[in-house]
Amino acid sequence: SDYQQLGYYLRSNLFQGVPLKTRSLVKDSYTPDVFQKAIRDPKNWHGKKIYELGKWYEKYFIDLRVQKAMADKYG
């Protein structure tokens, strides 16, 4: 039966669970000095400044509201 097969698999340790130590491709790809030299500037996030992101999100949500209003009005 399925119950006996599941018991067999659990006893055989086929389901070993999650690894005890997690690995990251980024950490494996770069040496530790890369992370120490990295400077994080909260005002310049991936080449965009915070207020630019705020403006983009504001325009995005206004556009969503306009689309919803148009759909409600014209179907």
Side-chain angles (χ1 to χ4, degrees):
S1 73
D2 293 337
Y3 182 76
Q4 289 174 343
Q5 281 184 331
L6 180 61
Y8 171 74
Y9 291 140
L10 289 173
R11 287 190 303 277
S12 300
N13 199 15
L14 293 178
F15 305 121
Q16 297 177 7
V18 297
L20 297 176
K21 182 179 178 186
T22 58
R23 299 188 62 146
S24 168
L25 181 62
V26 174
K27 288 185 180 179
D28 290 344
S29 300
Y30 296 103
T31 57
D33 63 324
V34 172
F35 297 106
Q36 293 169 356
K37 291 178 183 176
I39 299 171
R40 294 184 183 177
D41 185 11
K43 293 181 180 178
N44 191 3
W45 185 72
H46 289 286
K48 295 184 179 182
K49 295 187 177 179
I50 296 297
Y51 68 89
E52 291 175 356
L53 286 174
K55 287 181 182 178
W56 184 88
Y57 274 106
E58 184 179 1
K59 289 179 184 177
Y60 174 71
F61 285 117
I62 288 172
D63 184 50
L64 285 179
R65 288 184 195 142
V66 169
Q67 287 180 4
K68 185 178 178 184
M70 294 287 282
D72 290 344
K73 186 172 183 178
Y74 297 111

